[in-house]
Amino acid sequence: MAVTDSLSAEIPGTPFRVLLPQVLPALVVGVAASLLFLGISAAAEKLRDVLWGTLPDALGIGGFSALWTIVMLTASGVAVGLVVWKVPGHAGPDSASTGLGGAPMAPGVVPGLLVATALALAGGVSLGPENPIIAANIALAYWLGRRAQPAVPGAMWVSLASAATIGALFGTPVAAALVISEALVGRPGHGSLWDRLFAPLVAAGAGAMTTTLLAHPSFDMSLPALTDPGWGDLSAAMVVATAAALFGLLSCYAFPHAHRAFRRLRHPMLMLPVGGLVLGLLGALGGHLTLFKGLEEVRELTSNIGGWSSGELARMTVVKLAALLIAASCGFRGGRIFPAVFVGAAFGLLVQALVPEIHPAVAVSAGVLGVLLATTRQGWVSLFTAAVIAATPAMLALLCLASLPAWLVVTGRPQLELDDSGAPLR
């Protein structure tokens, strides 16, 4: 995702003349990427209200009853299966083999991908919007940018779109800066790190500000503040994060087997409806909090600390991880970060219910850190997400140290992502 490599090579020693012309394209991409994200999110939210509120109310059925949950998830599989089967571009590549970013798709693939994403988000599938929205913005920015400014390297448009979308998703350019910095490690390029980050940060800032002004996003889960951390808190954070990472790895080891099992069905109109049925059964077992991408559900989960039994928390934790595994394996389009946040938060609250001496903020944020490290292998994103959920500056040092034993557990292990042959990435 190097942005300035080609441009810097053309005008060595003059970073001002190189960087200044990148500001306007970065601003445009940032705002446009955020608007696309907000538009798809709003459409999915409206459809969700109809599917889970208006429609069951009109039929006299409980919106989150076991029967309606099974019906809706199965229907979501049928709807997305039709898009993957019939719409040009087949809704893009399988999300099982895509991460945050990638090569630009053909622009004709984007409509089908966005429709499939919105249907999955509205239907209760345990995937987030991040992977397909980033892929769509990359495709559009690359296609339009190359036509508007043919002299600008294509890699620049890819980098701007990736950074802009990550900034829009998290409501801050910090997350984009961390992801891009991690991606630039070991990549050759001219100029300092900040020269190479300049344009992506402009795009990420524009995307974040657009989202903030229009939607007011927040990752604050209103956890009790930890104001004076001690050695006991550090020990607890390290143990919880490591245990959560081990738990998250279960899905990584099971992922290629689940993916192969669904691929044996061969046709999207078999894979996705069957996957939807399994998700419906899991949702009926786990309850409504285990549905959807999970961010709003985390807020509801953490608003009732002490009100959940250890059995309820254990059930939701296992069901959500299984739902994430099935949704990512059977062909639904979506990302894995937001559902993994719910798994980590529920895991942390389970530990805290079993060991009440652990501070809730420590348990939840360390649980999120561990599960995200295992399922995404994005170190900075995992640390950033865990820190903003705690919303306590004192937690940052604990989480940095807690990430170290958790990383030793996950590094070199299979990821929740496959290569083109279906083998797990490591």
Side-chain angles (χ1 to χ4, degrees):
M1 290 197 294
V3 176
T4 61
D5 295 358
S6 299
L7 292 177
S8 298
E10 294 172 8
I11 316 177
T14 57
F16 178 84
R17 292 172 56 195
V18 172
L19 299 178
L20 187 60
Q22 299 177 30
V23 172
L24 182 57
L27 290 173
V28 171
V29 171
V31 173
S34 175
L35 292 176
L36 180 64
F37 162 62
L38 292 174
I40 294 301
S41 298
E45 191 66 30
K46 292 289 187 183
L47 182 57
R48 170 179 169 170
D49 291 341
V50 172
L51 296 178
W52 294 91
T54 305
L55 188 55
D57 288 346
L59 296 173
I61 302 173
F64 291 109
S65 66
L67 176 61
W68 190 252
T69 298
I70 294 170
V71 168
M72 281 311 308
L73 267 300
T74 305
S76 296
V78 172
V80 175
L82 285 170
V83 174
V84 174
W85 179 29
K86 289 295 187 180
V87 173
H90 306 289
D94 185 358
S95 290
S97 59
T98 59
L100 298 178
M105 302 180 302
V109 177
V110 172
L113 176 60
L114 294 179
V115 170
T117 302
L119 289 172
L121 290 172
V125 176
S126 290
L127 291 174
E130 59 275 16
N131 289 22
I133 295 296
I134 291 173
N137 276 326
I138 286 175
L140 294 175
Y142 183 85
W143 182 65
L144 294 171
R146 295 287 284 172
R147 279 153 181 76
Q149 293 184 293
V152 175
M156 175 177 176
W157 300 111
V158 173
S159 183
L160 294 181
S162 298
T165 312
I166 294 171
L169 285 163
F170 287 92
T172 171
V174 175
L178 295 174
V179 171
I180 296 169
S181 297
E182 193 169 9
L184 288 176
V185 172
R187 296 192 181 188
H190 297 276
S192 69
L193 175 63
W194 280 98
D195 283 343
R196 301 169 72 186
L197 285 176
F198 181 84
L201 279 179
V202 173
M209 285 302 300
T210 303
T211 299
T212 299
L213 292 171
L214 296 179
H216 312 291
S218 174
F219 278 77
D220 184 4
M221 300 300 161
S222 301
L223 292 169
L226 178 68
T227 55
D228 188 21
W231 290 108
D233 297 309
L234 175 59
S235 300
M238 297 177 77
V239 171
V240 173
T242 304
L246 287 168
F247 180 69
L249 279 177
L250 295 176
S251 65
C252 301
Y253 279 102
F255 190 38
H257 304 290
H259 188 263
R260 281 196 296 271
F262 280 106
R263 285 303 168 275
R264 291 193 185 101
L265 299 176
R266 297 185 179 277
H267 198 282
M269 285 306 294
L270 289 175
M271 292 186 295
L272 283 151
V274 170
L277 174 60
V278 176
L279 290 175
L281 294 170
L282 287 170
L285 175 63
H288 74 279
L289 288 185
T290 60
L291 302 174
F292 306 103
K293 67 179 182 182
L295 191 58
E296 293 81 5
E297 289 69 28
V298 171
R299 193 170 286 111
E300 185 174 346
L301 187 71
T302 56
S303 68
N304 191 27
I305 295 175
W308 306 101
S309 70
S310 57
E312 289 173 321
L313 291 168
R315 185 179 70 249
M316 287 190 285
T317 303
V318 173
V319 166
K320 189 65 173 183
L321 187 68
L324 170 58
L325 171 65
I326 297 301
S329 301
C330 70
F332 282 106
R333 290 351 186 209
R336 298 173 279 277
I337 291 178
F338 293 109
V341 169
F342 182 95
V343 175
F347 184 92
L349 287 179
L350 171 61
V351 173
Q352 199 271 334
L354 297 173
V355 187
E357 292 79 11
I358 299 178
H359 194 282
V362 173
V364 171
S365 57
V368 169
L369 173 65
V371 173
L372 280 177
L373 284 173
T375 55
T376 70
R377 221 55 55 89
Q378 295 275 347
W380 284 121
V381 168
S382 303
L383 183 58
F384 168 81
T385 306
V388 297
I389 282 177
T392 305
M395 281 295 305
L396 186 56
L398 295 185
L399 293 172
C400 285
L401 295 173
S403 69
L404 301 178
W407 184 256
L408 289 177
V409 166
V410 303
T411 186
R413 307 294 181 184
Q415 299 182 29
L416 200 64
E417 184 179 340
L418 307 175
D419 61 21
D420 293 336
S421 69
L425 297 178
R426 293 179 182 268

